Amino acid sequence: QPAKDVETVAKDLEMEVERYGDLAIVPGVEDYFRLPEKTFSMLRYALSSACHYTHILKTDDDVYLRTGYLLDVIDRGLFDATLRIQAESIVDYWMFKRPHREGPGNQVPWMEKMFIGKVDRNVTGTYPGFVPVRDPKNKWYLSEEAYPDTLGPHRIRWISGWGYLMSRDVVERAVQNVMDPGPKPAWFGRLPWEDVAMAAILKNYVRLSHIDSFKAAWDTCDNKTILKHLDNQVALIPGLREQELNGVWKVHEVPCSAGNYTEGNYEEWRRWRNKQSDSTVNGIM
């Protein structure tokens, strides 16, 4: 979703690559409704790299990442809860509400079957899972004509797409399932939301792992924060970087909002967010 015209963005990216060599540009169509296609292209590229990555973090450019803390998740096998991707009953919802555990049962380091981030539960809940949004004013609106309820995927829970970490075997399975020439589910190729699609593709291979330290746009930024989704408040990145470098963030919570809402309160954030100017263009939340 370039803020400027595509040609200008392309030139900016080429300059970045030429100057720093820290980007890889994967060919594809830039369209918000083609997120799954773009994501899987990126994953295929990552798997083909001579670097032989053991883990891949899929994240957006409006996110602040604390790399050292991310590596702790791998090294120490950290998570706060797990759940099946496909809910079978209401019992699955209650199974999600269990205390943090670390130790027996965790891989240390966590090298396989990792699919971790913030389980999306603030909008639709973890049960019954994905349901198409039918409000035309909503950012994630899908019309009945374009995406009938019968398509599914039904009872799928997912990790928010602004940031999730996967071990290599999980990425390989996801790409394999997409590239397999065999029959695909009815929703395949029609569901535009890559985070839901990713979960649905992996439902028979891995569980979702939730970690509180992956922070949504409305969440507070305590000293254990690993990844913070800033959404429309990316201007805060330099300030967060400064507080990380001077050690303040290592000790205690830091402010990570410039909006008129109480940090940690989803409903207040949502009301504030829907009053912002870009919501009239991109849709409400």
Side-chain angles (χ1 to χ4, degrees), residues 179-277:
M179 300 299 290
D180 190 324
K184 298 288 191 296
W187 56 265
F188 189 83
R190 298 181 66 177
L191 178 63
W193 316 137
E194 53 80 23
D195 45 9
V196 180
M198 182 67 71
I201 285 168
L202 290 167
K203 68 177 184 178
N204 294 324
Y205 183 72
V206 70
R207 293 170 68 92
L208 299 181
S209 294
H210 171 83
I211 188 164
D212 294 332
S213 299
F214 276 49
K215 304 290 189 176
W218 54 88
D219 284 331
T220 58
C221 290
D222 60 32
N223 63 334
K224 295 182 180 179
T225 298
I226 295 170
L227 186 152
K228 169 65 178 178
H229 182 211
L230 291 163
D231 188 42
N232 64 333
Q233 300 187 74
V234 291
L236 297 174
I237 286 179
L240 291 175
R241 178 63 174 163
E242 181 178 348
Q243 292 180 93
E244 182 169 17
L245 290 175
N246 64 26
V248 173
W249 203 353
K250 187 175 182 179
V251 178
H252 57 71
E253 181 178 308
V254 299
C256 54
S257 165
N260 184 23
Y261 61 90
T262 305
E263 290 184 24
N265 188 312
Y266 169 72
E267 288 300 332
E268 284 188 20
W269 170 84
R270 183 172 179 270
R271 286 193 292 270
W272 169 82
R273 186 66 181 85
N274 286 338
K275 293 177 182 178
Q276 305 309 300
S277 58

Side-chain angles (χ1 to χ4, degrees), residues 35-44 174-175 178 198 201:
L35 286 173
E37 179 181 319
K38 184 161 63 171
T39 300
F40 284 107
S41 293
M42 180 270 290
L43 294 180
R44 285 195 296 271
V175 171
V178 169
M198 182 67 71
I201 285 168

Side-chain angles (χ1 to χ4, degrees), residues 131-162:
V131 177
V133 176
R134 301 307 190 193
D135 180 358
K137 297 180 181 178
N138 194 281
K139 179 179 180 179
W140 297 286
Y141 166 67
L142 293 173
S143 69
E144 177 70 31
E145 181 181 5
Y147 199 91
D149 287 334
T150 53
L151 289 181
H154 302 293
R155 302 190 306 279
I156 292 295
R157 283 81 63 89
W158 69 98
I159 292 174
S160 294
W162 39 259

